[in-house]
Amino acid sequence: MAELGPGDPAATALKLHELVQRLSKGEVPAASDLMKTMALAADILTRTPEGENSGKEQLAAVKNEQVREWLASTFTRLDSVYSSRPNKPTFKAVAQALVIGQYIDSIYRESSANAGPPVPAEVAQLFQEQLDCWGFDIFSAESLLSGHPLCLVSFEIFRRHDLLKKHKVGHASQSQISAHCLSTFLTQVERGYSNHGNPYHNATHGADVVQTVHYLVRSTGLEAWLSSLEILAMLLAATVHDLDHTGTTNAFHVQSY
């Protein structure tokens, strides 16, 4: 991207639009890019004339109560100190900069939350061509992922059903299931499948069942009749259905305890 010059509103606006487009595609820009663009936006806004009735509107747009109180007290105090200076910081400029910062931060957090674990190019191509099909080659996925296909297969299926955005876990302020939380959970589930060296009821079998359930839900139209919570429950059950399987039958377990 081209370098931005100080005091250039059009170039700064273009840079902000580019950042929003990158974030909407799931690309996470460097923190230095975000900081530089925000600083330029704040500089531009500082030069914007302040309207008579703009203060209250801009103050209401700042969500954090403590920040609103700070703005109100600070600029009431500075009005007398800087009244004779032509380039004093205006209430509207700082409030607008904070609103823009909140907006970009929310997009950045959402994109980061949904970025997911890295997917090798060959696996991404396999997912694109076969994941929604009955003939999905689970053994190719197993080979490409060194015998550990469950985490990435399940994560991609959860993502395709948009379940990370529709449901939340953890603290009440958590707006959605984070990619880190889901991938960590799936990694632990995959490890649990290998606890007993089961040659059949293993992580590859778990991934195969998850993909089959995904195919049936989507191809039969059942997806339109189920809530997202029911789909989440089905896919989660398929993911863990043989977790920690010993390879022995229920009758054996009953008689051996």
Side-chain angles (χ1 to χ4, degrees), residues 35-57:
M35 292 173 61
K36 183 176 181 180
T37 304
M38 288 300 301
L40 287 168
D43 180 66
I44 295 298
L45 291 171
T46 302
R47 302 169 187 270
T48 304
E50 183 175 12
E52 294 180 359
N53 299 319
S54 63
K56 291 183 178 179
E57 296 176 0

Side-chain angles (χ1 to χ4, degrees), residues 113-114 155 164 167-169 174 176-183:
N114 290 294
F155 187 96
L164 279 75
H167 300 281
K168 61 182 181 181
V169 294
Q174 185 77 25
Q176 59 190 26
I177 301 175
S178 72
H180 174 73
C181 178
L182 179 59
S183 61

